[in-house]
Amino acid sequence: MELKITCIPGDGIGPEIVAEAKKVLDAVAAKYGHVMRYTDILMGGASIDVHGVPLTEEAVETAKSADAVLMGSIGGDTTTSPWYKLPPNLRPEAGLLAIRKALNLFANLRPAVLYEELAGACPLKKEISAAGFDMMIMRELTGGLYFGERKTVEENGVRKAIDTLTYDENEIRRIAIKGFDIARKRRKKVTSVDKANVLDSSRLWRKVVEEVAKDYPDVALEHMLVDNCAMQLVKDPAQFDVILTENMFGDILSDEASMVTGSIGMLASASLNDTKFGLYEPSHGSAPDIAGKDIANPIATILSASMMLRYSFDLDQEADAIDNAVKSVLQAGFRTADIMSEGCQRVGCRQMGDLLTERI
Ligand code: IPM
Ligand code: MG
């Protein structure tokens, strides 16, 4: 089959990790008889440097014309990079928010898994990590505080900033449906996370999630307040299967969950709309401090490519080939710097890509 993929190498370590992901995808294509058609677009700082804006209309159109988008990372050092002297709507992150909105990518899937081989990197006590964990954070991605009206004004000489948090029931329902659908393919439990003891948007969230749950009698639903969820993630992460939550809570909880795995360089993510189209990217950032040094971990991007094959192209066998290659490389003791431990062999970004390619 022919796979039309738009790539966004982006900033920082983005170009190096996307290059490795393409290498692995090419090996998959060769083995299973597919044709990969890549088109690169600029986004974030890379686009600012060329076009003066973090995302152009043409780039969005190119992305729309593909079957899926594979992204590295965007953004730079917020204290030193000139990109952060620009007005907020022209900074690298604005490009990411704009493409999410333009492609209607309302469902963000962020798996947080404790890899057996990397259990030593988990910062939790052994008594806790021994149970292992494997959760999917489902974050609403195109609503809430991120896209509400915002402004900064001055009233009687006092500066005041306003951000608004809005959700309508349709926005809640469509992400809830995705959450329950995914739970059905997993361990059939949804933890819906909100702040219903304070926020109206959370009270509506809870009601709509309960309505959706009626269509999924085989899936267990529980509600959890976001502050409690932050605690539970470090106290007993094994209790979670699918965490379903709004944009801002999901941003924060997914970083916490990834840190708890001890290996953020391993975590993939998918952002989906209501068709098969999706944007796939690692959960980590652009790590400008290590860019260009061939020490970044490409695995999160490569696993994002695997999610792309699975969710956008229904190529489960091919996705399994990538996931198994990752397991095999870890079992053989190869590690990039971020997941290095005693007795293992340290490899760079390119070599990790080569080792994975050989195993496809
Ligand atoms: C993420 C990032 C983005 C977000 C930033 C870069 C705007 O933190 O993807 O989690 O907050 O969504
Ligand atoms: Mg984030």
Side-chain angles (χ1 to χ4, degrees):
M1 119 186 223
E2 187 181 293
L3 288 71
K4 276 173 73 185
I5 302 167
T6 294
C7 293
I8 307 179
D11 308 319
I13 58 172
E16 4 179 354
I17 55 184
V18 168
E20 298 315 309
K22 280 185 182 167
K23 219 151 82 180
V24 172
L25 282 173
D26 287 340
V28 169
K31 171 152 181 194
Y32 293 93
H34 302 299
V35 180
M36 303 285 173
R37 300 241 183 269
Y38 305 111
T39 312
D40 283 4
I41 58 171
L42 296 176
M43 194 170 96
S47 174
I48 296 173
D49 290 346
V50 176
H51 301 293
V53 291
L55 184 70
T56 61
E57 276 300 317
E58 298 83 78
V60 171
E61 287 314 311
T62 305
K64 276 188 182 162
S65 69
D67 303 312
V69 179
L70 181 65
M71 182 186 141
S73 51
I74 53 118
D77 185 321
T78 50
T79 52
T80 57
S81 164
W83 299 329
Y84 296 91
K85 302 239 170 358
L86 296 166
N89 63 329
L90 291 178
R91 292 180 195 168
E93 287 71 14
L96 181 57
L97 298 185
I99 202 165
R100 285 175 181 166
K101 199 68 173 177
L103 303 176
N104 195 25
L105 304 171
F106 64 87
N108 184 213
L109 282 63
R110 297 190 167 182
V113 184
L114 185 67
Y115 281 86
E116 223 177 286
E117 296 81 6
L118 304 179
C122 172
L124 300 178
K125 283 192 194 144
K126 279 228 170 59
E127 304 95 90
I128 300 174
S129 64
F133 57 85
D134 176 353
M135 67 186 96
M136 179 68 87
I137 300 194
M138 299 276 315
R139 167 188 178 194
E140 199 291 324
L141 202 59
T142 51
L145 269 176
Y146 276 64
F147 293 95
E149 220 181 289
R150 73 178 93 255
K151 59 181 174 187
T152 304
V153 293
E154 196 166 317
E155 284 173 2
N156 307 321
V158 178
R159 285 170 300 165
K160 178 164 145 184
I162 301 160
D163 295 287
T164 46
L165 201 182
T166 311
Y167 270 108
D168 71 38
E169 61 179 307
N170 298 325
E171 291 174 304
I172 302 170
R173 191 171 298 110
R174 63 183 183 176
I175 181 76
I177 290 172
K178 283 253 191 217
F180 279 93
D181 281 343
I182 285 182
R184 214 167 228 178
K185 292 190 187 162
R186 296 173 45 100
R187 300 192 309 279
K188 300 192 167 52
K189 179 178 172 190
V190 169
T191 305
S192 174
V193 174
D194 61 41
K195 188 71 186 171
N197 52 348
V198 178
L199 302 175
D200 261 16
S201 55
S202 283
R203 288 188 270 267
L204 180 62
W205 181 277
R206 223 175 244 222
K207 273 196 200 119
V208 175
V209 168
E210 269 169 16
E211 288 161 17
V212 171
K214 292 203 180 98
D215 295 331
Y216 297 83
D218 51 323
V219 178
L221 168 67
E222 67 174 3
H223 300 285
M224 193 178 278
L225 296 174
V226 62
D227 44 354
N228 184 29
C229 183
M231 289 199 296
Q232 296 299 327
L233 277 172
V234 289
K235 197 172 155 222
D236 177 19
Q239 70 183 287
F240 295 112
D241 179 16
V242 170
I243 290 181
L244 173 64
T245 194
E246 64 93 49
N247 204 346
M248 176 85 156
F249 298 158
D251 177 44
I252 299 168
L253 294 175
S254 62
D255 264 27
E256 185 188 0
S258 66
M259 189 62 227
V260 164
T261 68
S263 41
I264 182 165
M266 302 285 300
L267 300 178
S269 84
S271 303
L272 309 174
N273 63 20
D274 42 23
T275 70
K276 285 272 165 199
F277 186 91
L279 180 148
Y280 300 83
E281 58 171 318
S283 280
H284 59 71
S286 60
D289 51 322
I290 60 162
K293 296 185 179 158
D294 192 34
I295 54 177
N297 185 352
I299 295 182
T301 315
I302 290 166
L303 290 173
S304 301
S306 159
M307 284 183 99
M308 175 180 80
L309 296 178
R310 205 180 292 284
Y311 290 105
S312 283
F313 298 102
D314 287 317
L315 296 173
D316 285 343
Q317 203 186 354
E318 288 80 344
D320 288 344
I322 296 182
D323 297 354
N324 291 334
V326 169
K327 278 189 204 121
S328 152
V329 160
L330 293 178
Q331 271 156 11
F334 296 107
R335 304 280 188 274
T336 43
D338 55 312
I339 51 172
M340 184 60 192
S341 64
E342 233 182 275
C344 291
Q345 187 181 335
R346 186 173 158 166
V347 298
C349 181
R350 278 197 294 273
Q351 198 185 345
M352 182 54 91
D354 289 339
L355 288 163
L356 290 165
T357 304
E358 280 163 21
R359 284 170 168 76
I360 292 299

